[in-house]
Amino acid sequence: MQATPADPSTPDAFLTPVEHLFVRNHLGPPPELDASAWTLTVEGLVERPLWLDLAALRGLARRRLTAFHECFGNPSRPDVPTRAVANLEWSGVALADVLDLAAPRPQARHIWFEGADRGSYAGEGGLRYLKDLPLEQARDEVLLADTVNGEPLPRRHGFPLRAVAPRLFATNSVKWLTRVVLSERRPEHLFTTRLYTRVPPGGGAARPVREVDVNSKLLGPRDGQRVTAGTHELTGRAWSYEPVVAVEVAVDDDGWRPTLLQPRGPGPVWQRFALPCRLSPGPHRIRCRATDARGRVQPPSGARNAVHAVEVVAV
Ligand SMILES: Nc1nc2c(c(=O)[nH]1)N[C@H]1C(S)=C(S)[C@@H](COP(=O)(O)O)O[C@H]1N2
Ligand SMILES: [Mo]
């Protein structure tokens, strides 16, 4: 999915308007949950199993989180770039506060998140949506959100409650959350151990798709756009599990040039980059490349986070 003038899915605003947010549902149309009948079950290796309704959850301390939200893409094609990304403000309760009520047993190592959606995927029927995370990581970071950008979660984005796992691919942010299980082990499941795994760049055993890659997207000008020749601000967004520390831009074969990059700040938000640049009349190919605090750089090609390139014509 390349950004084009006809693709407003990543407007150049700090927060992505919810009407422009992509929707990824594996198991068909979103379930229609009745908020008054809905409960969240917390079970497994806990001292106190819980059945929380919305009133009980809303009695807990409210938290806010602004974070980028990136789809991994088609799990059967883990090397294809999609750059489906947004930046959203969520609010809800900390998973840690719910876990404090349930009191996990010391043997608990993994936490499973189950959604209410049921259906088939990749020819397999009778599926539910299930993901898991290491308990410590989830306890530190996961928010159970009931609003997005200050509005109640729309049905397509997980009403009444979803998990939000910041800095991890959005596939981990389970929508229509109804059940949390604490366990000693990971669940065997299509969406946990069979799909959404990949071999790390250096080789070795396949690992679950969690920490996002270093990545960037040019938003201005857009792919295919006709612009007037002259000075333009080349701009876009960059994001990674770690803060992005540099974004470079190259126009045609002119070589990489550093851009002015907004610092990430305390939260895992996307970062704007910009570079004023003269575009002479004619076609141009503009590329952007991000580097993160861990020293990871976008590869030139052949990877889902390969350098992003757009073609424009200056007239
Ligand atoms: N229950 C449930 N949660 C889910 C999914 C799903 O199909 N079912 N899709 C996941 C994927 S792959 C992504 S990218 C995000 C998308 O969230 P959004 O549709 O709110 O943008 O939700 C994740 N959570
Ligand atoms: Mo996704």
Side-chain angles (χ1 to χ4, degrees), residues 21-27 69-72 90 115-117 129 156-158 162 170-176 196:
L21 173 57
F22 57 82
V23 177
R24 294 286 184 279
N25 298 337
H26 293 70
L27 304 176
H69 177 76
E70 186 191 7
C71 174
F72 178 73
W90 307 95
D117 41 341
Y129 195 77
R156 64 188 182 282
H157 296 299
R162 76 178 298 168
T171 179
N172 296 290
S173 293
V174 174
K175 303 194 274 189
W176 312 293
Y196 290 109

Side-chain angles (χ1 to χ4, degrees), residues 71-83:
C71 174
F72 178 73
N74 182 341
S76 306
R77 304 180 71 202
D79 296 329
V80 176
T82 58
R83 277 178 263 265

Side-chain angles (χ1 to χ4, degrees), residues 112-115 128-132 174 187-189 191-192:
W112 309 4
F113 297 93
E114 189 181 312
R128 58 206 165 121
Y129 195 77
L130 181 70
K131 300 299 291 189
D132 70 293
V174 174
E188 293 289 327
H189 191 273
F191 298 126
T192 59

Side-chain angles (χ1 to χ4, degrees), residues 218 220-221 232-236 249 251 257 273-277 279 286:
L218 267 162
H232 282 269
E233 183 180 61
L234 308 181
T235 181
V249 164
V251 179
R257 282 191 275 166
F273 62 86
L275 178 74
C277 173
L279 292 177
I286 309 172

Side-chain angles (χ1 to χ4, degrees), residues 157-180:
H157 296 299
F159 177 85
L161 191 80
R162 76 178 298 168
V164 176
R167 307 199 293 161
L168 307 187
F169 283 110
T171 179
N172 296 290
S173 293
V174 174
K175 303 194 274 189
W176 312 293
L177 186 67
T178 48
R179 191 162 164 250
V180 166

